[in-house]
Amino acid sequence: MLISIITINYNDLEGLQKTMKSVLGQTYTDIEYIIIDGGSEDGSKAYIESCEQDLAYWVSEPDNGIYNAMNKGIAHATGDYLLFLNSGDWLLDDLVIENFVNFIPVEDIIYGKIKWIKEQKIWDDDFSNKITFKYFSKASLPHQGSFIKHKLFREIGNYDEKLKITSDWKFFVLAIYKYNCSFKRINMFISMCNRDGLSCLPESWPLILKEREETMKTYFPAFYSDLAIYENVEEKLLTKIHKLKRNQRFWISKALIKIFK
């Protein structure tokens, strides 16, 4: 099984070095490693060039943003599964890809656990076995912890370059709920992810919500209307809970968790 790993980078030499070392140090050898650099001027290009004997493809040239760079990587990938591991994120240990292959994957999308790091603080992030439509109204799957079958990009299309932050989220929503792609959670950590990316910044949330809302309205208008009503009821109930006594809040909260999760 050939695994394509795509790393995009722009002026992040230190992050790029961590990412590339984690991939090039894997025990599994059938890895096709692709680097898309946006024309960095911080020494990234020279570092990539020094490792080119271990790369399937690399380029350093200006691009039109994150998703344009990721799409460039897809265009040169030939693997059975693709993993997007951007500069500053790294595989958790040298056995990650070998352990993934040992699961004998067949599903269209296979995702695992990740760890976040910010200012030396590290915390785990796990994802449910059950990914509901409502889940995607508030969250996504991690592209740094998700192996995607190559054929999906031919069937669904590449990442939407008109979106600035949520194109990978949109891809997962369409794959699972429009194209009925299969998915599976595996109980293993995939990567360590930097928490200071664009999508993690508080000031990005208005645009994230706007892009998600436009996608929902375009592709799932009926579901979006139901979801809006559903969330409005949830919000009102949770607001009222805070006015109850402590013991009442405990039991009602437990019931609501079962209803709304």
Side-chain angles (χ1 to χ4, degrees), residues 98-236:
E98 182 177 339
N99 288 338
F100 165 72
V101 173
N102 286 340
F103 275 100
I104 313 178
V106 295
E107 291 80 8
D108 296 319
I109 299 169
I110 300 176
Y111 57 95
K113 300 182 285 187
I114 63 173
K115 289 179 180 286
W116 292 105
I117 182 169
K118 183 174 184 179
E119 298 174 353
Q120 304 305 313
K121 295 180 180 179
I122 298 174
W123 64 98
D124 299 348
D125 201 351
D126 199 355
F127 301 86
S128 174
N129 286 312
K130 298 179 181 179
I131 301 297
T132 64
F133 188 77
K134 183 175 182 293
Y135 170 87
F136 278 113
S137 71
K138 297 179 179 178
S140 184
L141 295 177
H143 68 255
Q144 313 95 323
S146 300
F147 294 86
I148 305 170
K149 268 192 178 177
H150 192 182
K151 69 169 188 173
L152 296 191
F153 293 101
R154 295 190 293 269
E155 296 171 357
I156 299 170
N158 288 353
Y159 290 118
D160 185 347
E161 296 181 20
K162 297 190 296 295
L163 299 177
K164 301 298 182 183
I165 305 179
T166 65
S167 193
D168 48 338
W169 167 88
K170 176 183 177 180
F171 181 88
F172 285 130
V173 174
L174 294 182
I176 294 173
Y177 287 102
K178 182 176 174 64
Y179 291 87
N180 199 32
C181 293
S182 60
F183 61 92
K184 178 182 179 180
R185 172 190 173 276
I186 53 177
N187 187 27
M188 64 173 284
F189 282 99
I190 307 295
S191 60
M192 180 76 76
C193 307
N194 214 310
R195 190 63 181 176
D196 50 12
L198 181 62
S199 62
C200 300
L201 300 176
E203 55 266 35
S204 297
W205 270 101
L207 180 57
I208 290 172
L209 294 174
K210 182 175 182 291
E211 289 185 349
R212 286 181 177 179
E213 182 178 3
E214 289 175 353
T215 296
M216 289 290 193
K217 285 181 176 179
T218 300
Y219 293 94
F220 309 99
F223 290 110
Y224 176 80
S225 299
D226 291 343
L227 194 61
I229 294 171
Y230 184 70
E231 289 183 337
N232 188 41
V233 171
E234 178 183 359
E235 184 178 347
K236 287 180 179 179

Side-chain angles (χ1 to χ4, degrees), residues 82-94:
L82 274 59
L83 173 67
F84 295 90
L85 195 70
N86 293 347
S87 178
D89 303 329
W90 62 93
L91 296 173
L92 210 56
D93 59 53
D94 294 345

